[in-house]
Short mmCIF file of all heavy atoms in Angstrom, two decimals:
data_model
loop_
_atom_site.label_atom_id
_atom_site.label_comp_id
_atom_site.label_asym_id
_atom_site.label_seq_id
_atom_site.Cartn_x
_atom_site.Cartn_y
_atom_site.Cartn_z
N PRO T 1 -6.92 -22.57 11.02
CA PRO T 1 -7.32 -21.51 11.96
C PRO T 1 -7.80 -20.23 11.25
O PRO T 1 -8.69 -19.54 11.77
CB PRO T 1 -6.05 -21.26 12.76
CG PRO T 1 -5.32 -22.56 12.73
CD PRO T 1 -5.57 -23.10 11.34
N PHE T 2 -7.24 -19.94 10.09
CA PHE T 2 -7.68 -18.79 9.30
C PHE T 2 -9.15 -18.96 8.90
O PHE T 2 -9.96 -18.03 9.00
CB PHE T 2 -6.79 -18.67 8.06
CG PHE T 2 -7.13 -17.53 7.14
CD1 PHE T 2 -6.58 -16.27 7.34
CD2 PHE T 2 -7.97 -17.72 6.05
CE1 PHE T 2 -6.86 -15.22 6.48
CE2 PHE T 2 -8.26 -16.68 5.18
CZ PHE T 2 -7.71 -15.42 5.40
N PHE T 3 -9.52 -20.16 8.48
CA PHE T 3 -10.90 -20.41 8.06
C PHE T 3 -11.87 -20.43 9.24
O PHE T 3 -13.03 -20.04 9.09
CB PHE T 3 -10.99 -21.72 7.27
CG PHE T 3 -10.23 -21.68 5.97
CD1 PHE T 3 -9.21 -22.57 5.72
CD2 PHE T 3 -10.53 -20.73 5.01
CE1 PHE T 3 -8.50 -22.52 4.53
CE2 PHE T 3 -9.83 -20.68 3.81
CZ PHE T 3 -8.81 -21.58 3.57
N GLU T 4 -11.39 -20.86 10.40
CA GLU T 4 -12.25 -20.82 11.58
C GLU T 4 -12.58 -19.37 11.96
O GLU T 4 -13.71 -19.06 12.35
CB GLU T 4 -11.58 -21.54 12.75
CG GLU T 4 -11.49 -23.05 12.58
CD GLU T 4 -12.85 -23.69 12.35
OE1 GLU T 4 -13.78 -23.42 13.14
OE2 GLU T 4 -12.99 -24.44 11.35
N LEU T 5 -11.59 -18.49 11.86
CA LEU T 5 -11.87 -17.06 12.10
C LEU T 5 -12.80 -16.52 11.03
O LEU T 5 -13.73 -15.76 11.32
CB LEU T 5 -10.57 -16.27 12.12
CG LEU T 5 -10.73 -14.74 12.27
CD1 LEU T 5 -11.35 -14.40 13.62
CD2 LEU T 5 -9.38 -14.04 12.10
N LEU T 6 -12.59 -16.92 9.78
CA LEU T 6 -13.43 -16.44 8.68
C LEU T 6 -14.90 -16.81 8.89
O LEU T 6 -15.80 -16.01 8.57
CB LEU T 6 -12.92 -17.00 7.35
CG LEU T 6 -13.72 -16.68 6.09
CD1 LEU T 6 -13.87 -15.17 5.90
CD2 LEU T 6 -13.04 -17.30 4.86
N LYS T 7 -15.16 -17.98 9.43
CA LYS T 7 -16.54 -18.37 9.71
C LYS T 7 -17.19 -17.38 10.68
O LYS T 7 -18.35 -16.96 10.49
CB LYS T 7 -16.59 -19.78 10.32
CG LYS T 7 -16.26 -20.91 9.37
CD LYS T 7 -16.28 -22.23 10.13
CE LYS T 7 -15.85 -23.40 9.26
NZ LYS T 7 -15.80 -24.67 10.03
N ARG T 8 -16.47 -17.00 11.71
CA ARG T 8 -17.02 -16.07 12.69
C ARG T 8 -17.14 -14.66 12.11
O ARG T 8 -18.07 -13.92 12.43
CB ARG T 8 -16.17 -16.08 13.96
CG ARG T 8 -16.21 -17.42 14.68
CD ARG T 8 -15.60 -17.36 16.06
NE ARG T 8 -14.16 -17.17 16.04
CZ ARG T 8 -13.53 -16.19 16.66
NH1 ARG T 8 -14.19 -15.26 17.32
NH2 ARG T 8 -12.21 -16.11 16.60
N VAL T 9 -16.18 -14.29 11.27
CA VAL T 9 -16.26 -13.00 10.57
C VAL T 9 -17.52 -12.95 9.72
O VAL T 9 -18.25 -11.95 9.70
CB VAL T 9 -15.01 -12.78 9.70
CG1 VAL T 9 -15.22 -11.65 8.69
CG2 VAL T 9 -13.80 -12.46 10.58
N CYS T 10 -17.80 -14.04 9.03
CA CYS T 10 -18.98 -14.10 8.18
C CYS T 10 -20.27 -13.92 8.98
O CYS T 10 -21.19 -13.21 8.57
CB CYS T 10 -19.00 -15.42 7.41
SG CYS T 10 -20.37 -15.56 6.24
N GLU T 11 -20.33 -14.57 10.14
CA GLU T 11 -21.53 -14.46 10.97
C GLU T 11 -21.72 -13.03 11.46
O GLU T 11 -22.82 -12.47 11.38
CB GLU T 11 -21.41 -15.42 12.16
CG GLU T 11 -22.71 -15.69 12.87
CD GLU T 11 -23.77 -16.30 11.97
OE1 GLU T 11 -23.42 -17.08 11.06
OE2 GLU T 11 -24.97 -15.99 12.18
N ASN T 12 -20.66 -12.41 11.97
CA ASN T 12 -20.77 -11.03 12.44
C ASN T 12 -20.98 -10.06 11.28
O ASN T 12 -21.65 -9.03 11.42
CB ASN T 12 -19.50 -10.62 13.20
CG ASN T 12 -19.41 -11.31 14.55
OD1 ASN T 12 -20.41 -11.74 15.11
ND2 ASN T 12 -18.20 -11.42 15.07
N GLY T 13 -20.40 -10.40 10.13
CA GLY T 13 -20.51 -9.54 8.96
C GLY T 13 -21.93 -9.40 8.44
O GLY T 13 -22.27 -8.41 7.78
N LYS T 14 -22.77 -10.38 8.73
CA LYS T 14 -24.18 -10.27 8.33
C LYS T 14 -24.85 -9.11 9.06
O LYS T 14 -25.63 -8.36 8.46
CB LYS T 14 -24.91 -11.58 8.65
CG LYS T 14 -24.46 -12.79 7.86
CD LYS T 14 -25.21 -14.03 8.33
CE LYS T 14 -24.65 -15.29 7.72
NZ LYS T 14 -25.34 -16.50 8.22
N LYS T 15 -24.55 -8.97 10.34
CA LYS T 15 -25.12 -7.86 11.11
C LYS T 15 -24.59 -6.52 10.61
O LYS T 15 -25.34 -5.55 10.49
CB LYS T 15 -24.77 -8.05 12.60
CG LYS T 15 -25.25 -9.37 13.19
CD LYS T 15 -24.64 -9.60 14.56
CE LYS T 15 -24.91 -11.02 15.06
NZ LYS T 15 -24.19 -11.32 16.31
N THR T 16 -23.29 -6.48 10.31
CA THR T 16 -22.70 -5.23 9.82
C THR T 16 -23.29 -4.85 8.47
O THR T 16 -23.59 -3.68 8.22
CB THR T 16 -21.17 -5.39 9.72
OG1 THR T 16 -20.65 -5.73 11.00
CG2 THR T 16 -20.52 -4.11 9.23
N ALA T 17 -23.48 -5.83 7.59
CA ALA T 17 -24.05 -5.55 6.27
C ALA T 17 -25.43 -4.94 6.38
O ALA T 17 -25.77 -3.95 5.70
CB ALA T 17 -24.10 -6.84 5.45
N GLU T 18 -26.25 -5.50 7.26
CA GLU T 18 -27.63 -5.02 7.38
C GLU T 18 -27.70 -3.68 8.11
O GLU T 18 -28.35 -2.73 7.65
CB GLU T 18 -28.47 -6.07 8.11
CG GLU T 18 -29.98 -5.89 7.94
CD GLU T 18 -30.53 -4.74 8.75
OE1 GLU T 18 -30.10 -4.57 9.91
OE2 GLU T 18 -31.39 -4.00 8.22
N LYS T 19 -27.01 -3.58 9.25
CA LYS T 19 -27.11 -2.38 10.08
C LYS T 19 -26.43 -1.16 9.46
O LYS T 19 -26.90 -0.03 9.60
CB LYS T 19 -26.52 -2.64 11.46
CG LYS T 19 -27.34 -3.58 12.33
CD LYS T 19 -26.71 -3.70 13.72
CE LYS T 19 -27.53 -4.60 14.63
NZ LYS T 19 -26.91 -4.69 15.97
N MET T 20 -25.32 -1.36 8.77
CA MET T 20 -24.60 -0.23 8.18
C MET T 20 -25.10 0.14 6.79
O MET T 20 -25.22 1.31 6.46
CB MET T 20 -23.09 -0.54 8.09
CG MET T 20 -22.34 -0.41 9.39
SD MET T 20 -20.54 -0.42 9.12
CE MET T 20 -20.30 1.17 8.29
N TYR T 21 -25.39 -0.88 5.98
CA TYR T 21 -25.63 -0.61 4.56
C TYR T 21 -27.01 -1.05 4.07
O TYR T 21 -27.34 -0.83 2.90
CB TYR T 21 -24.55 -1.32 3.72
CG TYR T 21 -23.15 -0.92 4.11
CD1 TYR T 21 -22.28 -1.83 4.71
CD2 TYR T 21 -22.68 0.37 3.88
CE1 TYR T 21 -20.98 -1.47 5.07
CE2 TYR T 21 -21.39 0.75 4.24
CZ TYR T 21 -20.55 -0.18 4.83
OH TYR T 21 -19.27 0.18 5.18
N GLY T 22 -27.80 -1.69 4.95
CA GLY T 22 -29.11 -2.17 4.52
C GLY T 22 -29.01 -3.27 3.49
O GLY T 22 -29.90 -3.43 2.65
N CYS T 23 -27.96 -4.07 3.55
CA CYS T 23 -27.71 -5.12 2.56
C CYS T 23 -27.83 -6.50 3.17
O CYS T 23 -27.60 -6.70 4.36
CB CYS T 23 -26.30 -4.97 1.98
SG CYS T 23 -26.02 -3.45 1.05
N ARG T 24 -28.19 -7.45 2.33
CA ARG T 24 -28.09 -8.86 2.71
C ARG T 24 -26.61 -9.26 2.64
O ARG T 24 -25.75 -8.47 2.29
CB ARG T 24 -28.91 -9.72 1.76
CG ARG T 24 -30.40 -9.43 1.74
CD ARG T 24 -31.03 -10.16 0.57
NE ARG T 24 -30.46 -9.75 -0.70
CZ ARG T 24 -30.45 -10.47 -1.81
NH1 ARG T 24 -30.97 -11.69 -1.83
NH2 ARG T 24 -29.91 -10.00 -2.92
N GLY T 25 -26.36 -10.52 2.95
CA GLY T 25 -24.99 -11.00 2.85
C GLY T 25 -24.13 -10.58 4.02
O GLY T 25 -24.63 -10.25 5.10
N SER T 26 -22.82 -10.60 3.80
CA SER T 26 -21.88 -10.36 4.89
C SER T 26 -20.73 -9.49 4.41
O SER T 26 -20.29 -9.61 3.26
CB SER T 26 -21.33 -11.70 5.41
OG SER T 26 -20.44 -11.52 6.47
N VAL T 27 -20.21 -8.63 5.30
CA VAL T 27 -19.11 -7.72 4.94
C VAL T 27 -18.22 -7.50 6.15
O VAL T 27 -18.68 -7.52 7.29
CB VAL T 27 -19.66 -6.36 4.44
CG1 VAL T 27 -20.38 -5.61 5.56
CG2 VAL T 27 -18.54 -5.50 3.86
N ALA T 28 -16.91 -7.34 5.91
CA ALA T 28 -15.96 -6.92 6.93
C ALA T 28 -15.06 -5.87 6.33
O ALA T 28 -14.82 -5.86 5.12
CB ALA T 28 -15.13 -8.10 7.44
N HIS T 29 -14.56 -4.98 7.18
CA HIS T 29 -13.75 -3.87 6.71
C HIS T 29 -12.26 -4.23 6.78
O HIS T 29 -11.91 -5.35 6.45
CB HIS T 29 -14.13 -2.61 7.48
CG HIS T 29 -15.54 -2.18 7.21
ND1 HIS T 29 -16.62 -2.76 7.85
CD2 HIS T 29 -16.05 -1.28 6.33
CE1 HIS T 29 -17.74 -2.22 7.38
NE2 HIS T 29 -17.43 -1.32 6.46
#
């Protein structure tokens, strides 16, 4: 279940990386 959440974090983190920092990849705080 931890990895299933991580998959969704990764998907959302792509938007956060681009919109907040202008970066490719994925990030979560």
